[in-house]
Amino acid sequence: GDTFVVILTLSDDNTADNDEDADSLSNSDVTGDVVDIGNGDYSVTYVTNRSGYYALHVTHEREGYEAVAIAGSPFRVYVTPSEEYAPNCLASGKGLRYAKTSDGTATFTLQAGDVYGNSLDRGGGEWFIRVRGPYIVPTAAEDHGNGTYTVTYDLTGMESTTAEPSPTPDPWVPQ
């Protein structure tokens, strides 16, 4: 019988954040499963937890013959990151450490990550951001469409010596 072999290889044009990642990328071949549907078509499945561009190599093997790549192989495939996973999202910027009531707004950047540690490359996430303090502080997250968000909050006029805490119960604090 005929045998098809599928191997997914991470392409060299993927960028790694550090040398350790670069070493792991070079050894990230994934073998796929091929099922003969019975009508001349085959179903191929493969699983990888690393997003990026891959070369999908498909070869046909017949007993007694050398394996031959099918027409068009290798194919360029892009594996997208999974959905947002809060423990793997990163926040950075001065607005995480301090804000002055006299200066107006403070900002920080949020980079969305998935459960496998991949940085998301698309927007659309829903973020609920709360600035802890004695007052309800308005926040906004600007979606840049590439997995990053600029978070802004405004403390203008919130002087802790004169303002009164909001009588509205804080939904984030157990009552």
Side-chain angles (χ1 to χ4, degrees):
D2 293 340
T3 302
F4 288 91
V5 177
V6 176
I7 298 175
L8 192 66
T9 304
L10 196 59
S11 296
D12 291 336
D13 60 353
N14 287 294
T15 57
D17 294 334
N18 59 46
D19 292 338
E20 182 179 313
D21 283 347
D23 290 342
S24 68
L25 295 181
S26 62
N27 298 317
S28 59
D29 286 355
V30 175
T31 303
D33 293 320
V34 181
V35 176
D36 185 352
I37 296 175
N39 62 357
D41 291 338
Y42 292 80
S43 171
V44 176
T45 57
Y46 52 86
V47 177
T48 179
N49 59 13
R50 181 78 171 169
S51 67
Y53 286 99
Y54 286 81
L56 178 64
H57 300 267
V58 181
T59 57
H60 177 242
E61 297 178 357
R62 179 174 280 166
E63 194 173 318
Y65 293 90
E66 188 174 322
V68 176
I70 68 167
S73 180
F75 302 94
R76 186 169 167 87
V77 176
Y78 182 70
V79 175
T80 63
S82 187
E83 299 298 317
E84 294 90 354
Y85 180 66
N88 287 341
C89 295
L90 302 173
S92 61
K94 293 179 182 178
L96 291 172
R97 293 184 298 281
Y98 63 87
K100 297 179 181 177
T101 57
S102 61
D103 290 352
T105 60
T107 63
F108 62 91
T109 301
L110 179 67
Q111 171 62 59
D114 72 5
V115 69
Y116 304 108
N118 298 300
S119 293
L120 267 65
D121 56 2
R122 64 188 178 279
E126 252 186 273
W127 298 99
F128 300 96
I129 298 151
R130 179 178 177 275
V131 177
R132 286 191 179 257
Y135 313 103
I136 295 175
V137 178
T139 61
E142 179 185 355
D143 186 345
H144 297 288
N146 62 1
T148 62
Y149 301 80
T150 298
V151 178
T152 305
Y153 60 97
D154 190 353
L155 297 175
T156 303
M158 294 190 182
E159 299 291 339
S160 60
T161 56
T162 59
E164 292 295 320
S166 169
T168 306
D170 185 344
W172 295 89
V173 177
Q175 302 297 320

